[in-house]
């Protein structure tokens, strides 16, 4: 049996040889190099051959986790080298082709939803069946939406409380959806906590949290009054219950903003934590002092009779934000993390060696379309962020995605060795896509090269529910990524753009001219990266695996081609896959 070439750590250098013609004249000797064609492995050695002669095929190289596709004359893998026919005419580099070994095969589902007659964004949105990116059941002709989430976990069940916007919800009352896997949800019809129909301090309900203290469940929430004459626009209020599905308000219990804040309007989003060791409840609240966004801390006794204000634990130092909404803390590894959403900006986080600070300067974690996310932990040490995917007031808009509330969206939190956080798909969410679809190109690799004008290549089809994955390597500074057809006109394309020179991944409309959302990412030219994109209905999240996540909203794109694109760049995309799921319609 022949020995295969080792992976890039062992590269063979073939000895040089000289060929002579039959009449004694020396032929030109050409060197042929074998490039492994992935970052970290530049060569599999070289050999020489006389001009006009065939090249002896080398041992097949091995790369863990990949199938070898053969040797190619170009890095874009468009011209395969045929060792039985092709002759060497000059010095040459052959590039290895690879395809990720995912153990799947192409299948042809026959139950895809037909969007050929649903060409408008509104008709497509009305036809979607949201399963993983949960929406409340429609109330007649009215579609309610998920507002700020308040997740809680117990005994294998995730309880996702949320401010329900629209439908039968009165003034953002709190409703509940439960799940065991973040793939499918059960909706509780009646509100868990309803805004007061008689008016008063909680005429509107704002974000809060659930905490269990021994056998009692407390639901801390924001009471927002509509009375113009009220001294305090917002106070912290509470309800209690014997189970996580039913609560009764505790009359006359409230926390007012401390006098030291010098303001009486913004005081909300209580997040509660119980420490059985001390028998105390810690409560964080977002507010403002001296026009600077702050996060405050309180300590409460288990019976709620004692309330002590501990002061400010975090002050905003980046961005001009008037409040740090839906703040939350959790521990991952040896660090504590504080997260919050900043209005119309993004999801942020800061870290500390102690739960309540002092904290590092905040960094961005996601874009502004993944909003009001809070953490929830399961029983196995996993941490998830549950928030909502922002929507548009008009699904036909090509100018903004700025409406309040949307679909429920959950992502898993991970951290790098340096302590920085990043988001990845929930395993069960990605795992439901187990059926490989046929692409619109031959094979699984493609190369796009472009100057100042965009260059496009149709590769996928936009189904109602799908997962895209692959790898990319770029060589320039311009943008590249995924492009979605809105109405057949290129000037209205919606694009997920990776912009190395700007250190961003962005959602843009109108062929890049209208920015919608963005997050930070740092990439190097010539290095391999992998990506995953999951879409259901008009909601999607794009991941540069291990580095960045960006939630997007794409109306009107179903049933149309998804293109790869580049501008002022050359990019090779490899191991491309489009996946659906058996039984997922």
């Amino acid at each position: 049996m022949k020995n295969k070439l080792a992976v890039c750590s062992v590269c063979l250098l073939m000895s040089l040889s000289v060929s002579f013609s039959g009449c004694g004249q020396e032929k030109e000797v050409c060197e042929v190099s074998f490039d492994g064609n992935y970052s970290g492995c530049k060569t599999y050695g070289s050999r020489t051959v006389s001009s006009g002669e065939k090249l002896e095929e080398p041992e097949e190289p091995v790369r863990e986790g990949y199938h070898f596709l053969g040797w190619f004359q170009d890095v874009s893998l468009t011209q395969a080298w045929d060792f039985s026919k092709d002759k060497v005419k000059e010095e040459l580099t052959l590039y290895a082709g690879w395809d990720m070994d995912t153990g799947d095969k192409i299948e042809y589902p026959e139950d895809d939803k037909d969007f050929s007659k649903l060409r408008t964004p509104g008709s497509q949105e009305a036809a979607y069946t949201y399963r993983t990116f949960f929406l409340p059941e429609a109330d007649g002709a009215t579609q309610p939406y998920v507002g700020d989430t308040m997740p809680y976990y117990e005994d294998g069940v995730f309880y996702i409380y949320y401010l329900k916007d629209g439908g039968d919800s009165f003034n953002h009352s709190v409703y509940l959806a439960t799940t065991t896997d973040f793939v499918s949800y059960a909706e509780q019809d009646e509100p868990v906590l309803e805004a007061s129909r008689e008016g008063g301090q909680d005429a509107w309900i704002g974000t809060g949290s659930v905490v269990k203290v021994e056998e009692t469940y407390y639901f801390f929430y924001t009471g927002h009054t509509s009375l113009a004459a009220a001294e305090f626009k917002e106070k912290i209020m509470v309800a209690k219950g014997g189970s996580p599905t039913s609560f009764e308000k505790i009359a006359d219990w409230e926390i007012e903003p401390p006098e030291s804040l010098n303001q009486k309007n913004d005081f909300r989003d209580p997040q509660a934590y119980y420490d059985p060791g001390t028998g105390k409840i810690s409560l964080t609240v977002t507010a403002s002092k001296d026009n600077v966004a702050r996060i405050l801390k309180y300590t409460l006794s288990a019976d709620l009779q004692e309330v002590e204000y501990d002061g400010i634990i975090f002050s905003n130092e980046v961005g001009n934000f008037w409040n740090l909404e839906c703040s939350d803390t959790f521990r991952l590894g040896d660090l504590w993390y504080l997260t919050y959403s900043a209005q119309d900006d993004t999801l942020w986080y800061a870290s500390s060696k102690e739960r309540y600070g002092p904290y590092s300067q905040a960094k961005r974690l996601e874009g502004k379309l993944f909003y009001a996310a809070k953490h929830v932990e399961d029983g196995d040490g996993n941490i998830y962020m549950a928030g909502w995917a922002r929507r548009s007031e008009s699904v036909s808009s090509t100018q903004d995605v700025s409406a309040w509330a949307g679909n429920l969206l959950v992502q898993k939190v991970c951290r790098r060795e340096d302590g920085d956080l990043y988001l990845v798909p929930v395993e069960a969410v990605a795992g439901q896509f187990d059926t490989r679809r046929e692409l619109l190109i031959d094979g699984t690799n493609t190369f796009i090269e472009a100057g100042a004008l965009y260059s496009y290549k149709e590769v996928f089809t936009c189904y109602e529910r799908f997962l895209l994955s692959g790898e990319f390597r770029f060589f320039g500074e311009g943008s590249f990524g995924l492009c979605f057809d809105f109405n057949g006109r290129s000037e209205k394309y919606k694009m997920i753009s990776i912009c190395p020179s700007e250190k961003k991944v962005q959602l843009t409309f109108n062929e890049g001219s209208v920015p919608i959302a963005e997050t930070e990412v740092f990439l190097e030219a010539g290095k391999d990266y992998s990506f995953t994109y999951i879409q259901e209905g008009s909601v999607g999240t794009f991941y540069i695996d291990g580095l960045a996540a960006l939630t997007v909203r794409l109306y009107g794109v179903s049933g149309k081609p998804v293109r790869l694109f580049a501008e002022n760049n050359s990019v090779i995309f490899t191991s491309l896959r489009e996946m659906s799921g058996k039984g997922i319609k």
Side-chain angles (χ1 to χ4, degrees):
M1 179 181 294
K2 294 182 178 180
N3 293 322
K4 292 186 175 182
L5 290 174
V7 288
C8 62
S9 58
V10 179
C11 296
L12 302 180
L13 182 62
M14 307 297 181
S15 60
L16 300 178
S17 61
V18 180
S19 298
F20 295 88
S21 66
C23 48
Q25 293 182 329
E26 183 178 341
K27 285 187 176 181
E28 181 182 355
V29 176
C30 303
E31 184 176 19
V32 180
S33 299
F34 297 91
D35 191 320
N37 200 21
Y38 61 96
S39 56
C41 183
K42 297 301 182 184
T43 179
Y44 275 106
S46 63
R47 62 175 57 179
T48 57
V49 64
S50 297
S51 177
E53 298 293 330
K54 296 177 184 178
L55 179 66
E56 181 181 351
E57 186 171 0
E59 304 285 352
E60 184 177 302
V62 174
R63 181 182 176 192
E64 186 177 357
Y66 291 79
H67 290 302
F68 177 63
L69 300 178
W71 294 102
F72 294 80
Q73 300 178 54
D74 56 338
V75 70
S76 57
L77 308 179
T78 61
Q79 303 177 60
W81 183 268
D82 189 337
F83 288 91
S84 66
K85 297 179 180 179
D86 292 336
K87 296 179 180 180
V88 177
K89 298 178 181 179
E90 57 187 353
E91 288 195 353
L92 179 68
T93 297
L94 294 180
Y95 299 90
W98 304 100
D99 185 36
M100 189 176 295
D101 182 8
T102 54
D104 48 35
K105 62 180 181 179
I106 294 175
E107 299 185 28
Y108 301 90
E110 298 179 352
D111 56 355
D112 291 321
K113 186 171 290 185
D114 182 11
F115 286 94
S116 62
K117 296 180 180 180
L118 303 174
R119 306 302 291 179
T120 66
S123 64
Q124 289 190 9
E125 189 67 23
Y128 294 143
T129 302
Y130 285 105
R131 177 171 174 257
T132 298
F133 300 154
F134 167 80
L135 275 184
E137 183 179 354
D139 183 13
T142 303
Q143 175 61 65
Y145 296 98
V146 175
D148 296 356
T149 58
M150 296 153 273
Y152 174 77
Y153 174 83
E154 185 175 287
D155 296 335
V157 178
F158 296 95
Y159 297 82
I160 312 295
Y161 307 94
Y162 61 94
L163 302 182
K164 188 174 179 180
D165 184 49
D168 59 352
S169 174
F170 179 71
N171 289 357
H172 289 171
S173 294
V174 178
Y175 284 72
L176 172 64
T178 59
T179 182
T180 59
D181 55 10
F182 300 122
V183 172
S184 58
Y185 292 81
E187 180 179 0
Q188 183 168 305
D189 292 334
E190 299 300 317
V192 172
L193 205 61
E194 189 172 43
S196 174
R197 294 180 180 271
E198 289 74 38
Q201 185 62 51
D202 60 349
W204 289 78
I205 286 185
T207 314
S209 61
V210 170
V211 65
K212 186 178 183 181
V213 179
E214 297 179 352
E215 298 304 315
T216 300
Y217 296 84
Y218 289 118
F219 200 134
F220 294 91
Y221 65 97
T222 306
H224 183 98
T225 184
S226 57
L227 297 175
E231 181 180 4
F232 297 100
K233 199 70 174 178
E234 293 178 333
K235 296 181 181 180
I236 306 305
M237 308 180 77
V238 72
K240 70 175 181 178
S243 78
T245 60
S246 180
F247 294 87
E248 293 185 3
K249 298 175 183 177
I250 300 179
D252 300 325
W253 192 98
E254 55 188 28
I255 300 177
E256 299 175 352
E259 292 184 7
S260 59
L261 286 185
N262 299 318
Q263 61 91 12
K264 299 180 179 182
N265 293 323
D266 301 309
F267 182 72
R268 58 178 179 270
D269 301 355
Q271 182 66 36
Y273 314 93
Y274 176 61
D275 183 351
T278 63
K280 300 289 186 180
I281 300 170
S282 295
L283 198 69
T284 59
V285 179
T286 182
S288 174
K289 180 181 179 182
D290 301 328
N291 295 318
V292 176
R294 319 274 189 172
I295 296 175
L296 322 177
K297 179 179 177 293
Y298 288 81
T299 299
L300 285 62
S301 61
D303 60 5
L304 308 187
Q305 297 305 302
E306 299 176 11
V307 178
E308 181 179 354
Y309 174 52
D310 300 323
I312 296 168
I313 63 169
F314 183 78
S315 297
N316 178 61
E317 296 179 356
V318 290
N320 185 26
F321 308 131
W322 56 273
N323 219 325
L324 309 179
E325 297 187 308
C326 304
S327 64
D328 195 8
T329 66
F330 57 86
R331 184 171 185 168
L332 190 56
D334 60 348
L335 291 176
W336 287 93
Y337 293 90
L338 171 73
T339 61
Y340 58 87
S341 291
Q343 301 80 26
D344 293 325
D345 183 81
T346 189
L347 177 64
W348 292 77
Y349 74 96
S351 61
S352 174
K353 293 183 178 180
E354 304 294 334
R355 182 162 201 164
Y356 301 110
Y359 294 99
S360 65
Q361 182 167 310
K363 299 180 180 180
R364 285 182 170 90
L365 183 57
E366 236 267 30
K368 70 177 185 179
L369 302 195
F370 182 55
Y371 202 79
K374 287 190 174 186
H375 98 287
V376 62
E377 303 179 31
D378 65 12
D380 298 320
N382 298 305
I383 297 178
Y384 306 92
M385 295 296 289
W388 47 267
R390 194 180 293 272
R391 61 188 173 91
S392 293
E393 291 288 359
S394 170
V395 297
S396 298
S397 173
T398 59
Q399 298 300 315
D400 65 70
V401 181
S402 58
W404 192 84
N407 296 68
L408 175 62
L409 178 63
V410 180
Q411 305 183 66
K412 185 178 179 181
V413 183
C414 295
R415 59 164 278 177
R416 289 185 280 273
E417 290 185 2
D418 62 2
D420 284 353
L421 300 181
Y422 62 97
L423 299 173
V424 301
V426 175
E427 287 93 336
V429 171
Q432 67 182 310
F433 299 97
D434 57 2
T435 302
R436 182 177 168 188
R437 294 180 177 273
E438 185 178 27
L439 301 181
L440 302 180
I441 58 172
D442 293 330
T444 59
N445 303 328
T446 192
F447 180 74
I448 302 180
E449 188 171 26
L453 299 178
Y454 286 104
S455 180
Y456 300 98
K457 183 172 291 188
E458 294 184 6
V459 179
F460 313 100
T461 298
C462 187
Y463 297 97
E464 179 182 15
R465 189 179 286 105
F466 62 93
L467 179 151
L468 306 178
S469 64
E471 299 178 329
F472 63 82
R473 192 187 330 148
F474 66 93
F475 303 95
E477 295 185 351
S479 66
F480 61 93
L482 299 175
C483 170
F484 297 80
D485 192 342
F486 178 66
N487 62 0
R489 297 159 51 192
S490 62
E491 65 267 23
K492 294 298 182 182
Y493 284 167
K494 300 183 177 185
M495 309 168 82
I496 299 174
S497 300
I498 301 167
C499 310
S501 62
E502 299 181 32
K503 299 179 177 60
K504 296 176 182 177
V505 55
Q506 298 176 301
L507 171 66
T508 63
F509 288 174
N510 301 343
E511 202 173 24
S513 63
V514 178
I516 301 296
E518 65 182 43
T519 192
E520 293 177 336
V521 67
F522 299 89
L523 304 175
E524 300 177 29
K527 186 176 179 180
D528 291 318
Y529 298 93
S530 60
F531 74 89
T532 303
Y533 175 68
I534 297 174
Q535 181 170 323
E536 181 179 57
S538 58
V539 180
T541 303
F542 181 79
Y543 300 91
I544 300 178
D545 298 333
L547 294 176
L550 181 70
T551 294
V552 302
R553 177 71 76 163
L554 299 169
Y555 294 110
V557 301
S558 294
K560 301 170 185 175
V562 181
R563 298 169 172 88
L564 295 173
F565 79 90
E567 59 88 23
N568 283 320
N569 215 326
S570 55
V571 188
I572 180 171
F573 294 91
T574 58
S575 298
L576 296 172
R577 297 286 191 277
E578 181 169 23
M579 307 292 291
S580 66
K582 296 177 180 178
I584 301 179
K585 298 182 179 180

